[in-house]
Amino acid sequence: MNANATNSESVKDLNVQAEQVMRLNDKGGYTVPTEGLYPYQWNWDSAFAAMGFAQFDVARGWKELETLFSGQWENGMVPHILFHTDDDRYFPGPDVWQGTGPIPSSGITQPPVAATMARIIHELDPEAGREHMEGLFDAMVRWHDWFMKWRLDNQAVCTTHPWETGRDNAPDWDGAMAQIDPVDVGSYTRRDLSHVDSAMRPKPYDYDRYIWILKRGRSYGWDDAAMLENTRFRVADPTMTFTLLRAQRDLAVLGRALGRDVSGIEAQIKVLEAGAETLWNPAIKGYDSRDVLTGEWAGSLSNASFLAWYAGIDNAELLESYRRVMSLVEYGVPSFDPADEKFDAKRYWRGPTWGMMNMLIGTGLDEMGHAEGEALRALTAELIQAHGFSEYFDPTDGSPAGGKTFTWTAAIWLGWASPDRSAS
C-alpha cells in the first residue's frame, strides 16, 4: 500500500475518532470540554463544539449554541460556565459563583466566538440555518452590545478576570495580578490538580488571585456599574478585542442574510477597529495587553497577538514577528514568545500550542492571502495526527498536555485541520 493511501486511511480513522470524542463529551444539548477536569458547559468551548458537531450533524451544532444562549443574563452577558448539573469534581462551582442568570452560572464571560461559529454552521446549510439564526440573532446582538457598553477602554475590549479571556495564566496578566493582595481568600481545594499534572496548570499564586477577584465580583452582586467603579483588575486585551471585532463582522453578515438592520453593528465595528490599534505595542512589534489602571503594557507577544488577521487587520510587522516566533518551535503557534524568559512550554497559556487558537490564526492568515495560513493548518493536522486530541501541546516537541479527549481539539480537526475538512 502506498504512503498516500496509508495517510488517507489515517485521516479517515481520525475523522471517526474525532466524532467519537464529540459524542463522548455530549451531555445532550451541551458538551463538556472533557470529562472530569471540566464537567460543565464552557462558553467558547461550546461554540467550537457547535462548529465541530455541524460537520456531521448540523442540527446538533445549532442545539449547542441554543443551549449556551439559554443561560444569557438579563443584561445580555453570556456566562463563561453554565452549571447544568451539580458536580463536585470542579472548583469553583455554582455555590461559589452565585451567578444571577436563568441557569446557575459563573459571573463572568468568555471570548465571543459564537457568532463566528454560527456563521460557519449557517453556511453549511443556509436554508435550515435561517430558523435557528432568527432565534439566536437578537441574543447575540445583546451580548455584543453588553461588551460595547461595559468593557471598552479607549475603544479596546477589556477583561475583568483572567478566566474571561480563556488564557488564564498568560503573562499578560502578571503586572495587574501583582497589584492584588489576596487577603481573606480563605481555604479551598483545587480539583484540577487531581486530573492534570500541576506543572501544566496555573500556580497557587495565580489561583489565590483568581478566587479573590471572583469573590469581589460576587460581593457586588455582579452588578456591572458597581464592578466598573470599584475594579481592581481591568486589562485591555487582544483576545477579547479581536474575537469581538471578528464576531461583529460575522454577525453583520448573518444579519444581512436575515434581512435585519445591521447599521448599529457596522458602527460598532468601526469603534473596535480603532480600539484594536490602541493595542499595538511597537516595542514588541505586536498587539499587546494594557493594564487600564496603570497604563502599563504587559510586553506580551502571545498567540492572541496573532488574532489580528482573524479580526480583519493586516500588519507587515506583525507578520515578521509571527515568522520569528514560529521559527523557534517545532509545532506552533506557541501561546507565548519562546524567546521570552517567561516562556514555559507545558504550563497552560505560558507556552503551549492550542489547536483552536491555531484555527483562528490560520483562518485569518489565509483570508489575508498569507501562505502561512495553509502552512499552519497543515502543521496543526500533523500535530493532531501524531499526538491525538489533547487540550494543548508542547510546542517544542508536540507532546500532549492538559486534558485528554478534548472537545475543541476534535472539533477543529473536523472543521478545519483535517485534510477532509467536513468528512467524518
Side-chain angles (χ1 to χ4, degrees):
M1 184 177 292
N2 64 43
N4 287 338
T6 303
N7 186 62
S8 177
E9 288 185 3
S10 172
V11 168
K12 286 185 171 64
D13 286 345
L14 276 174
N15 292 337
V16 172
Q17 291 173 35
E19 184 175 332
Q20 290 173 340
V21 169
M22 301 290 297
R23 296 191 185 282
L24 174 69
N25 294 328
D26 183 2
K27 298 303 178 183
Y30 72 95
T31 311
V32 299
T34 189
E35 270 297 328
L37 181 59
Y38 302 111
Y40 298 111
Q41 183 178 19
W42 260 258
N43 187 319
W44 70 330
D45 296 73
S46 198
F48 287 108
M51 181 276 299
F53 272 120
Q55 307 308 311
F56 57 90
D57 186 344
V58 173
R60 179 62 186 81
W62 285 118
K63 180 63 175 176
E64 186 78 22
L65 291 177
E66 288 162 350
T67 304
L68 174 63
F69 278 86
S70 71
Q72 186 170 34
W73 288 18
E74 186 176 344
N75 63 4
M77 194 268 283
V78 181
H80 98 293
I81 307 174
L82 294 181
F83 301 107
H84 295 286
T85 59
D86 195 8
D87 194 319
D88 62 8
R89 292 176 297 174
Y90 179 79
F91 175 86
D95 57 325
V96 178
W97 283 101
Q98 299 177 21
T100 63
I103 294 171
S105 71
S106 63
I108 57 176
T109 193
Q110 264 193 328
V113 298
T116 300
M117 298 303 127
R119 181 181 174 186
I120 293 173
I121 300 170
H122 184 266
E123 290 178 351
L124 291 172
D125 188 344
E127 185 176 348
R130 183 180 183 90
E131 180 180 352
H132 294 283
M133 269 314 304
E134 287 282 8
L136 285 167
F137 183 79
D138 289 337
M140 289 181 175
V141 168
R142 290 180 56 228
W143 187 25
H144 293 184
D145 285 349
W146 173 84
F147 276 106
M148 300 299 292
K149 181 176 182 180
W150 294 110
R151 292 302 174 84
L152 296 192
D153 177 79
N154 204 12
Q155 300 179 307
V157 185
C158 300
T159 179
T160 61
H161 194 298
W163 282 341
E164 280 196 320
T165 68
R167 300 190 299 125
D168 302 17
N169 66 329
D172 301 51
W173 329 126
D174 287 358
M177 293 279 269
Q179 304 302 312
I180 293 172
D181 179 10
V183 294
D184 301 325
V185 74
S187 61
Y188 59 89
T189 301
R190 289 178 60 176
R191 306 293 185 181
D192 58 320
L193 300 184
S194 65
H195 301 282
V196 175
D197 185 340
S198 61
M200 300 179 184
R201 297 292 295 174
K203 296 179 179 180
Y205 172 94
D206 301 305
Y207 243 83
D208 282 351
R209 284 156 179 80
Y210 299 155
I211 301 304
W212 187 89
I213 299 170
L214 184 166
K215 289 187 173 182
R216 188 173 178 84
R218 187 183 68 189
S219 73
Y220 292 111
W222 303 110
D223 178 81
D224 288 308
M227 289 191 296
L228 177 59
E229 183 178 353
N230 297 283
T231 186
R232 294 288 299 278
F233 183 97
R234 190 173 179 87
V235 181
D237 168 45
T239 328
M240 294 303 223
T241 302
F242 289 139
T243 54
L244 183 59
L245 176 51
R246 175 57 184 251
Q248 293 282 44
R249 296 192 198 280
D250 290 323
L251 192 58
V253 170
L254 290 166
R256 284 190 285 270
L258 298 175
R260 299 293 191 95
D261 177 7
V262 297
S263 57
I265 298 173
E266 290 170 339
Q268 291 176 342
I269 288 171
K270 297 297 183 184
V271 171
L272 293 169
E273 286 175 336
E277 293 309 323
T278 71
L279 297 180
W280 180 258
N281 182 353
I284 65 168
K285 294 185 178 179
Y287 292 96
D288 196 4
S289 295
R290 183 185 69 248
D291 189 332
V292 171
L293 303 184
T294 66
E296 294 180 357
W297 289 112
S300 175
L301 186 66
S302 69
N303 53 0
S305 308
F306 301 130
L307 292 176
W309 298 295
Y310 163 80
I313 297 171
D314 205 359
N315 186 298
E317 284 190 289
L318 185 68
L319 191 59
E320 290 179 13
S321 294
Y322 175 82
R323 289 169 176 165
R324 177 186 63 76
V325 164
M326 292 294 281
S327 74
L328 299 175
V329 293
E330 190 71 21
Y331 292 101
V333 180
S335 48
F336 189 59
D337 187 349
D340 194 292
E341 63 181 10
K342 292 182 178 180
F343 175 79
D344 186 333
K346 283 188 167 59
R347 195 177 293 280
Y348 218 39
W349 290 91
R350 301 181 82 87
T353 291
W354 297 74
M356 87 296 177
M357 290 291 281
N358 282 8
M359 174 188 169
L360 303 185
I361 295 166
T363 297
L365 283 164
D366 192 55
E367 290 173 348
M368 288 292 174
H370 297 304
E372 285 82 357
E374 175 56 26
L376 180 57
R377 190 206 61 75
L379 185 66
T380 307
E382 179 186 331
L383 178 60
I384 294 173
Q385 284 178 291
H387 298 287
F389 301 108
S390 288
E391 183 178 5
Y392 48 94
F393 306 87
D394 184 324
T396 64
D397 60 12
S399 57
K404 310 303 180 187
T405 58
F406 219 82
T407 295
W408 63 17
T409 309
I412 68 100
W413 170 265
L414 290 169
W416 178 69
S418 170
D420 290 350
R421 303 300 198 280
S422 60
S424 61

